[in-house]
Amino acid sequence: MAVPIVFLGIAGGFGVFIGLALVLIANPIIWKVRKDGYFNSEQFQALRTDVASVAAEHNDVVNYVAEIRAQGSFELGASSTGQYAHLATFENTSSWNNRRDRNVAEYAPHVHNASLQVVRNASMDPIKYLMKYFSIKADKETLTDVQHVADDVSRLEEAVRNVQGRETEIVARINPPTFILKRYADEFWNLVGVHLSPITVPYPSYKFQYISAGGNSGQAVDIRLDTSTLDALSETLAQKIHWAKSAAGQRALMTARLRSWIKDRDNHRCVQCEISVAAEPHLLLEVDHLVPVSKGGLSTPDNLQTLCWRCNRTKGAKMPA
Ligand SMILES: [Zn+2]
């Protein structure tokens, strides 16, 4: 910035130099005047009142998202040494809050240092290499654990997406001038009464990395356990333990496909309070086990129902821990 000003100062004389300097100093003041004018306008105040109930509900869902994040399990235990490691390294936190760091913190990736060939193969066949090098065993206990993580990851993915959808709708309804969101986003959301959600999905992550002997070249493959990877892992485990061939196994694997099928079957409506997506476009719906998995309930259509987040949250609060 300094260079062109000095250059112009020399080339165009002091008039240009002072003129440019004034613009640079005055700019923030001009933006502030424009911003204050917009936030104080009757139009903005009216729109703020208009979205007040949407903003309040948005904040409720944000708190719900924080609860899911705090109570769910987002980690499969594994060891980079290739030895058997038990599947439960998630640190459970019984109380939660909205602290920023807590809600965005990710778990450290599990790292396996390998040859270049293994790293390359892992990128071609991630599920196979994940199981082999991180001791994810093909047994029913592991499958149950993977299904548990998959359920929590997908709930959180959907809830985070729901919050983002609500924020998009609030912006669309207020439709602020571009410079407001570009320069004064925090102030905008504060005045609208929305608590922004910094919450992310803490995906379990597995990494294969190769570092050359000299350390100056390397290659790495990251495998992130999102819903589609977790579904693939569940299906692979079920095949390997021949569980999928049993009658119970065939009908009892929870996947994104099944969750979406249940919501379709229930007409995207909460079977308890009967509120539907047709009535409330941003409704957050979840698929719930009538008999919980922990009590032997299967992921079969007759044991699954669609609940809205409010009913599911109330049900969860009533369940013994
Ligand atoms: Zn409901």
Side-chain angles (χ1 to χ4, degrees), residues 251-252 258 261-262 265 290 298-305:
R251 300 184 302 133
L258 179 56
W261 188 87
I262 297 293
R265 181 199 66 186
L290 282 156
L298 291 178
S299 299
T300 50
D302 57 311
N303 190 43
L304 294 169
Q305 62 178 354

Side-chain angles (χ1 to χ4, degrees), residues 100-257:
R100 210 177 176 90
D101 52 351
R102 172 83 150 288
N103 285 329
V104 292
E106 304 294 326
Y107 301 104
H110 302 276
V111 179
H112 180 76
N113 288 297
S115 69
L116 187 55
Q117 194 56 47
V118 167
V119 172
R120 285 182 177 152
N121 291 347
S123 75
M124 305 297 289
D125 200 348
I127 301 295
K128 180 179 164 188
Y129 277 76
L130 186 65
M131 290 179 62
K132 184 172 174 187
Y133 287 94
F134 290 97
S135 302
I136 296 178
K137 290 186 186 294
D139 57 35
K140 272 184 91 166
E141 290 69 38
T142 306
L143 177 57
T144 305
D145 202 49
V146 170
Q147 287 265 284
H148 190 58
V149 172
D151 210 44
D152 288 332
V153 164
S154 84
R155 271 182 81 202
L156 195 51
E157 277 178 347
E158 286 190 33
V160 166
R161 220 177 294 139
N162 187 274
V163 164
Q164 288 163 349
R166 287 167 194 270
E167 283 161 14
T168 307
E169 197 213 309
I170 290 169
V171 168
R173 273 171 72 172
I174 297 185
N175 195 16
T178 317
F179 81 94
I180 291 286
L181 281 186
K182 206 172 144 196
R183 292 169 181 268
Y184 303 103
D186 283 353
E187 203 171 335
F188 171 81
W189 289 112
N190 263 331
L191 287 169
V192 174
V194 163
H195 305 150
L196 276 195
S197 159
I199 297 168
T200 54
V201 184
Y203 291 108
S205 167
Y206 293 81
K207 190 177 187 146
F208 288 89
Q209 74 179 12
Y210 161 76
I211 298 164
S212 70
N216 50 11
S217 78
Q219 209 164 325
V221 172
D222 258 312
I223 301 168
R224 192 179 80 160
L225 297 196
D226 54 17
T227 293
S228 49
T229 311
L230 283 161
D231 280 0
L233 182 57
S234 287
E235 276 158 9
T236 306
L237 288 172
Q239 293 291 338
K240 280 203 185 292
I241 60 184
H242 304 295
W243 189 64
K245 286 182 185 125
S246 71
Q250 259 172 21
R251 300 184 302 133
L253 204 58
M254 190 59 148
T255 58
R257 215 178 313 128

Side-chain angles (χ1 to χ4, degrees), residues 270 273 308 311:
C270 173
C273 71
C308 75
C311 291

